[in-house]
Amino acid sequence: MAMIQIGPHKLPARAVLAPMAGITDLPFRRLCRQFGAGLTVSEMVISDTQLWHTRKSHLRLAHDDNTPRAVQIAGAEPAMMAEAARSCMEMGADIIDINMGCPAKKVCKRAAGSALLKEPELVEQILKAVIAAVDIPVTLKIRTGWSPDQRNGLAIAELAQDCGISSLAVHGRTRQCRYLGMAEYDTIAAIKQAISIPVFANGDITSAEQAKYVLDYTGADGVMIGRGAQGKPWLFREIASYLNTGILAPAATTAEVQAVMLSHLSALHHFYGEQNGLRIARKHCAWYLQEHDANTGFRSEFNRLESASAQLDAVHRYFEQHGQTLQDAAA
């Protein structure tokens, strides 16, 4: 199959990393790229550039050397969104992604994120303003609609293409569904049939087999992986192998899981500084071990540690004590 193209950028793989607030920071994006993600998108940044002076915003806007560099912006005021896009481009962004999929109350209360799906006229104003403000591709992420009885994702998708959006990612739930129940892919399939720009299917894709099923079912060009990559960045490698060969790649070995964890935690400590890095490392550690730590209580112990070296030492000890058991269980 032909490579997915977003503007001038050809993506090397059909599985891309979804932007997730508090998760897809620079260390995690780099890690997912190493395992073959075709594209990684930054955490969402608010469109009010006057608030970008904070350390949190600086970290979210940090770029690495991988290209294309994609930055997601969120807001509900067309001129402000245009200015945010222009500023991101000036800071080195290669792609601007617009968030119209986030279901978080604090975002929707500001009539941003998936709340915009209720206002097609405002959607059109925002898309046209942002696209006119930059000379790099603009992409869009949406849900299938506001609620099951207001599923207007197809109309929004057609509007987006008419405005000049370069690609579209669709999460197979409405805003009202949040992350409950199962994602539905019929709306995504209908959207792919109706538009010609690249479409990424998103929602409940946690294995290589599910990725292939969703691609076959919807006809989408690619899949966007969100929660499925938490604690499992090698999922991108597994998807690429299965799509290319039809053969499931071997699971990550215990030694590889240990090496990835240690590298990732060290990168978090360095990127955020020790105090904040410790806190963020805790949730990633829990995700890495969610399939393995049913009885040892290691995560509770890990969450009480108060230095970077203590966290790294604890991971070393954990795998020394349980590595063979984990390897046998995975075999």
Side-chain angles (χ1 to χ4, degrees):
M1 183 175 177
M3 297 176 76
I4 300 170
Q5 187 152 347
I6 300 176
H9 308 293
K10 292 184 177 181
L11 306 189
R14 297 177 70 188
V16 304
L17 177 66
M20 295 178 283
I23 300 167
T24 54
D25 53 23
L26 183 56
F28 191 61
R29 297 198 306 273
R30 282 176 170 164
L31 187 57
C32 291
R33 283 289 187 109
Q34 289 170 19
F35 279 104
L39 180 71
T40 59
V41 186
S42 74
E43 301 172 81
M44 175 182 69
V45 292
I46 57 174
S47 58
D48 189 348
T49 57
Q50 294 182 6
L51 302 178
W52 286 7
H53 63 277
T54 65
R55 173 172 168 77
K56 182 177 181 180
S57 292
H58 281 300
L59 292 174
R60 288 193 170 191
L61 289 163
H63 292 311
D64 62 10
D65 295 331
N66 287 312
T67 56
R69 296 174 291 265
V71 178
Q72 188 182 72
I73 59 174
E77 207 287 312
M80 193 175 286
M81 288 285 281
E83 176 58 29
R86 194 160 37 239
S87 296
C88 288
M89 181 182 67
E90 291 170 354
M91 289 188 288
D94 299 307
I95 295 172
I96 300 297
D97 185 60
I98 297 176
N99 182 311
M100 293 187 185
C102 180
K105 287 183 179 179
K106 65 180 180 180
V107 175
C108 289
K109 279 182 179 177
R110 297 176 179 145
S114 55
L116 289 166
L117 299 176
K118 291 194 296 185
E119 302 184 60
E121 290 183 0
L122 181 55
V123 169
E124 182 176 10
Q125 292 170 20
I126 290 172
L127 297 183
K128 287 183 174 179
V130 172
I131 290 168
V134 297
D135 55 12
I136 56 177
V138 178
T139 62
L140 176 65
K141 187 169 191 288
I142 65 171
R143 287 187 164 231
T144 56
W146 174 254
S147 64
D149 59 350
Q150 292 178 294
R151 196 175 271 128
N152 64 336
L154 176 57
I156 296 293
E158 291 174 328
L159 171 64
Q161 177 170 267
D162 291 343
C163 288
I165 287 294
S166 294
S167 74
L168 180 71
V170 187
H171 183 99
R173 291 181 175 86
T174 67
R175 190 272 164 185
Q176 189 179 82
C177 296
R178 300 181 64 82
Y179 295 101
L180 301 175
M182 300 296 293
E184 62 92 6
Y185 304 118
D186 290 327
T187 302
I188 301 175
I191 287 171
K192 179 56 195 171
Q193 284 290 314
I195 64 177
S196 59
I197 59 175
V199 173
F200 294 90
N202 175 233
D204 294 349
I205 301 170
T206 58
S207 69
E209 299 99 316
Q210 181 69 3
K212 186 176 188 308
Y213 167 79
V214 171
L215 287 169
D216 290 344
Y217 188 87
T218 63
D221 302 274
V223 288
M224 178 171 277
I225 310 298
R227 292 172 294 166
Q230 293 172 192
K232 195 178 176 182
W234 45 84
L235 178 58
F236 294 100
R237 179 179 66 192
E238 294 175 356
I239 291 172
S241 174
Y242 193 53
L243 294 181
N244 291 334
T245 68
I247 300 171
L248 288 173
T253 65
T254 299
E256 184 175 29
V257 175
Q258 178 183 2
V260 171
M261 280 186 68
L262 291 170
S263 175
H264 190 183
L265 298 188
S266 294
L268 291 171
H269 299 150
H270 176 75
F271 183 68
Y272 288 102
E274 186 163 10
Q275 183 176 0
N276 288 332
L278 288 172
R279 175 177 53 82
I280 293 166
R282 290 170 187 146
K283 62 185 177 185
H284 284 281
C285 179
W287 289 325
Y288 279 114
L289 299 181
Q290 59 189 342
E291 297 179 2
H292 307 299
D293 188 37
N295 302 311
T296 67
F298 172 76
R299 283 173 285 178
S300 296
E301 171 197 336
F302 187 88
N303 289 345
R304 293 192 293 269
L305 300 175
E306 297 183 353
S307 74
S309 60
Q311 285 190 340
L312 298 175
D313 288 344
V315 172
H316 276 292
R317 290 196 307 274
Y318 177 84
F319 281 92
E320 286 175 359
Q321 295 170 9
H322 305 285
Q324 188 58 53
T325 302
L326 299 176
Q327 191 64 51
D328 292 343

